[in-house]
Structure formats: C-alpha cells, structure tokens
Amino acid sequence: MDKKQNIKELSYQELSEYLSSIGEPAFRAKQLWQWLWQKNVTGFDQMTNLSKKLRARLKEDFVFEPVEIYSYQQSPTDQTIKYTFRLKGNHLVEGVLIPSRSSERVTACISTQVGCPLGCKFCATGTMGLKRNLHAYEIYDHLWLLNQQSQKHFGRKLTNIVVMGMGEPLLNLDNVLLALDIITSDQGLGMSPQRITLSTVGMVKELYRLADMKPKFNLAVSLHSAIDEVRSGIMPVNKSNPLPDLVKALKYFHKQTGKRITFEYLMLAGVNDSIKDAKALADFTRNFPSKINLIEYNETPHSIFRKSPPERVREFVNFLENRNLVVTVRRSKGSDIAAACGQLVKITDRNKQLFNFDHLKPENKNIS
Ligand code: SAH
Ligand code: SF4
C-alpha cells in the first residue's frame, strides 16, 4: 500500500483540487487551510466545522506528522529559551526565543536545515554536515510553536523573526520562501515581512534568484571577512562564491529591492580583527547602503578560535565609525545554554560532551 501523504505538504491549490475531486464545495478549502495553518491542529478530529464524513475521508487519505517540542532550556542570565524540535524521521532541530530586556520585543530564531553542508570553521552546526532540508511546513510549524511559547513565557506574540538557526536558507530556498509566505500571510500568522531577517553566507547564484523575487524581508550576510584569503580560510563556501562575485550579486539585490543590507561579522582574535581587516570591511560595505553587526564569538570548549578582546573590538568599531559606517556590537544571547547562533547542533554523544546537553533527557520532554 502507498504511504499516505502528509496533508501539510499540499499547497492551497492542491488542497482545493483534492476537495473538489471528492465533491466538496470550494469554500471547504479555506476552512481546511485555517485548521491546518492558523489553528495548526494535529488531528482531523479537531476540525469541528467539517462533517464527520469528510473527516473520515481525510483520515483515510492523509496523515499528520506534526513538529513537536522535544525539550527546552531557559538561560538564567538573559531569559533566552532554546527549544529542540523533533521532526519526522526523529531528526532534531533547534529554535530560540530571545526576549529584549523589557520583553517589549521577542525574537524567534528558526532553522531551515537539519545540519548544514557548508562547514564554516567557527560554527557548531557546520560540524554536522547536512542531514536533510526542512519542509516548508516544518519551518512554519516550529515558528508557530515558538509564537505560542512566546505568549506563554513572555506574555506576548513574536515581534521579530531571524532565519539564523541551523542551516543555510538559500540552499533550501523554495521551502523557506513558501514558509515565509504563509508566516506573513493573513491566512497564516500575518507577520510583517519588515520584521523578518534572513541570514545567508551569500550564495551568489541563489542571491540573484532571490533578488528577482523582490522580497520584502531583510537580508543579512554573514561576511566575517572582506579579504578573500581570510574568508576562504574560515568559510570554505567563499572559494566558489568569492567576494567580487558577492559584491555584484548584492549590488543587484539592492537594485531590485531597494533594501539596506546587514553584514554580520564575528570578531575572531588574530584572524579578522586587525585595522587592515576593518579597512577591507569598510571598503566592502561602501558598495551598498549597509549596516554592520559585529558579533561576539561564542567560544565552545573545543573551539579553535578565541573571541577578540574588548579593546580590540573598540578599536575596530572606532575605525568604522570614523568612516561614518553604521555599526552595532551584538553580545551573544543565550551563550550559557549553547543557544546562541552557531551553537545549534544536533545532540550526538560527542556533542553531548562538548556542549553539555544534559537537559535533553527524555523525562524533560512533556512540557507543552
Ligand atoms: N547559514 C546562515 C544562517 C545560520 S548561521 C549563515 O551562516 O548566515 C547564523 C549566524 O551565526 C551566522 O552569522 C553565523 O556566522 C553565526 N555564527 C556561527 N557560529 C557562531 C559562533 N560560534 N558564535 C557566534 N556566531 C556564530
Ligand atoms: Fe552553515 Fe551558517 Fe554554520 Fe556556515 S555559519 S556552517 S552556513 S549554519
């Protein structure tokens, strides 16, 4: 017998066609869609405005494979909460809730791949390799759960989303765009695209494709060095996407969208934090309206890098500010629970030792 299809892998169009093929009126598609996406139910019996007969038919034809919260842990210092979600096939990905100090803003950080194939040298996720891409509904569902958890823990819905968890979003672009479409649609979560930021290492070919779609969300590029040799040394992807090509693609992106581009720059002691590096960064970012986020490196016990000392960061910032560039320095949130970006990693025994994921014991999982 064929395996039943997961109902959340159907587009609105496909759902409508299916319903009309079994003799249901057109308005059913909207009702069904609302149950699946806005109310995010996990069983057909919860769809109380559909007839028992239709529910039975849906049960015969489809299955649910819901994303579940597997565990969570809150940082005692900054209240950041890291969640581990279980996907079909027992894959685990992570998402993080980051409240601002006054909880006026709550930002969700979401994942797009189980692991990541790009192997940046400073990134824990990169050590996993790629297991698989997330389906659009899996991206949407873990965001939906984070939104629910935000209301529970911080008394408010999400205000911002960063696509900065596990994975490289431009390597799973179709599913990411589909998920963001529903997240921003009134038929989904109705969030403003202006409050969404997608972070990429800057895959050149995909950036052109994205630019032509004129997205309304914000783009952040993980630059980490504006000198080709240095960048290739810490980010192997730079070899096939070198900086001159990246500049061209980003100029095109700006032309198509009119958007300012954010550059993320991890401060790695002795690697990319000299005045020569700052000058290269200044020259690079002058090609388009831009903003620079200097990020404190999250050291892990086995990291080969160290974070830049504060006085070095200060000199770097001064250099950039004296050239009238917009610079912010971001302290990593949630670093005490390995929740900060770049520390999201699947829990294998080795990583359990590395990152001390003791909280991920099965008895912790029923938390809803
Ligand atoms: N693949 C995308 C999005 C996920 S990574 C990208 O690389 O942009 C999200 C951000 O976390 C990136 O800017 C990445 O460079 C940064 N990051 C990775 N490892 C880190 C670490 N150990 N400390 C701080 N930031 C890190
Ligand atoms: Fe992948 Fe981003 Fe980590 Fe690089 S920094 S390995 S692209 S998740």
Side-chain angles (χ1 to χ4, degrees):
M1 204 180 81
D2 280 354
K3 194 182 167 294
K4 290 186 199 177
Q5 196 175 5
N6 178 335
I7 193 158
K8 293 190 79 164
E9 286 178 27
L10 266 61
S11 65
Y12 190 84
Q13 180 69 23
E14 288 165 335
L15 268 186
S16 305
E17 282 163 16
Y18 163 79
L19 287 167
S20 83
S21 79
I22 59 168
E24 290 289 332
F27 67 85
R28 285 276 181 264
K30 194 163 175 204
Q31 287 179 321
L32 185 51
W33 187 265
Q34 281 173 342
W35 286 115
L36 293 174
W37 296 92
Q38 282 184 315
K39 302 188 181 126
N40 214 0
V41 295
T42 50
F44 296 107
D45 290 330
Q46 298 163 45
M47 302 179 173
T48 46
N49 64 357
L50 304 187
S51 70
K52 285 220 168 92
K53 186 167 152 264
L54 175 56
R55 282 187 256 160
R57 178 67 198 258
L58 289 169
K59 242 187 252 182
E60 262 171 44
D61 291 344
F62 298 104
V63 284
F64 275 95
E65 289 162 313
V67 173
E68 290 167 5
I69 296 175
Y70 178 73
S71 69
Y72 78 135
Q73 193 193 20
Q74 185 159 31
S75 154
T77 48
D78 60 28
Q79 313 314 312
T80 291
I81 311 179
K82 179 179 73 171
Y83 292 85
T84 307
F85 298 95
R86 193 201 341 247
L87 314 178
K88 156 171 84 169
N90 263 332
H91 286 293
L92 299 177
V93 291
E94 299 191 327
V96 188
L97 279 183
I98 310 153
S100 62
R101 201 166 294 160
S102 56
S103 286
E104 262 165 37
R105 271 185 299 126
V106 183
T107 302
C109 174
I110 57 173
S111 296
T112 56
Q113 297 184 308
V114 184
C116 178
L118 296 181
C120 301
K121 298 277 193 292
F122 45 77
C123 174
T125 306
T127 62
M128 284 174 66
L130 176 68
K131 304 292 181 249
R132 72 164 168 87
N133 283 337
L134 263 64
H135 288 283
Y137 84 86
E138 291 173 322
I139 299 170
Y140 179 88
D141 278 5
H142 81 286
L143 190 265
W144 191 93
L145 288 167
L146 287 171
N147 190 41
Q148 200 185 41
Q149 291 291 310
S150 175
Q151 292 166 73
K152 183 173 153 191
H153 292 280
F154 303 116
R156 62 164 311 144
K157 291 185 179 168
L158 295 175
T159 56
N160 298 70
I161 300 173
V162 292
V163 186
M164 287 189 192
M166 284 177 159
E168 167 49 48
L170 294 199
L171 290 179
N172 186 15
L173 190 53
D174 289 336
N175 285 318
V176 170
L177 292 178
L178 213 61
L180 290 180
D181 255 5
I182 308 176
I183 288 167
T184 52
S185 137
D186 288 340
Q187 306 302 324
L189 284 172
M191 289 201 55
S192 160
Q194 267 86 358
R195 291 180 170 268
I196 300 177
T197 301
L198 179 143
S199 172
T200 173
V201 287
M203 316 288 306
V204 167
K205 196 167 114 242
E206 288 79 3
L207 275 174
Y208 282 104
R209 205 185 134 208
L210 184 62
D212 283 334
M213 296 179 196
K214 300 190 173 30
K216 295 210 171 60
F217 53 76
N218 303 300
L219 184 74
V221 176
S222 296
L223 193 64
H224 309 319
S225 173
I227 301 174
D228 259 324
E229 306 80 76
V230 178
R231 193 168 193 255
S232 293
I234 54 178
M235 300 170 72
V237 68
N238 190 66
K239 291 176 197 150
S240 46
N241 295 263
L243 292 170
D245 294 353
L246 182 58
V247 169
K248 277 190 220 141
L250 291 175
K251 278 187 179 166
Y252 185 71
F253 186 88
H254 173 67
K255 179 170 152 258
Q256 291 295 81
T257 61
K259 288 215 163 257
R260 174 167 87 164
I261 298 162
T262 300
F263 291 97
E264 294 160 284
Y265 196 99
L266 266 178
M267 297 292 291
L268 302 171
V271 175
N272 65 356
D273 62 350
S274 71
I275 291 301
K276 182 176 167 224
D277 293 296
K279 183 166 181 323
L281 176 59
D283 291 344
F284 186 93
T285 54
R286 234 189 278 290
N287 284 299
F288 3 72
S290 53
K291 189 179 132 198
I292 301 167
N293 268 345
L294 299 180
I295 310 168
E296 183 180 75
Y297 175 58
N298 294 312
E299 289 177 18
T300 56
H302 291 242
S303 339
I304 48 173
F305 300 108
R306 290 286 159 254
K307 62 179 173 198
S308 301
E311 59 282 5
R312 183 45 71 88
V313 177
R314 227 170 296 126
E315 280 169 38
F316 204 89
V317 172
N318 286 345
F319 182 91
L320 297 171
E321 281 182 343
N322 286 337
R323 274 151 192 79
N324 292 325
L325 294 164
V326 185
V327 190
T328 55
V329 183
R330 214 172 71 200
R331 249 217 76 231
S332 292
K333 291 205 168 189
S335 48
D336 52 342
I337 55 164
C341 293
Q343 299 198 7
L344 301 182
V345 69
K346 188 185 152 224
I347 311 91
T348 59
D349 284 343
R350 184 174 143 278
N351 290 325
K352 239 185 232 164
Q353 285 166 10
L354 286 183
F355 300 100
N356 192 16
F357 278 127
D358 285 347
H359 57 287
L360 289 175
K361 289 193 184 125
E363 60 264 27
N364 255 354
K365 71 183 196 191
N366 293 323
I367 50 155
S368 78

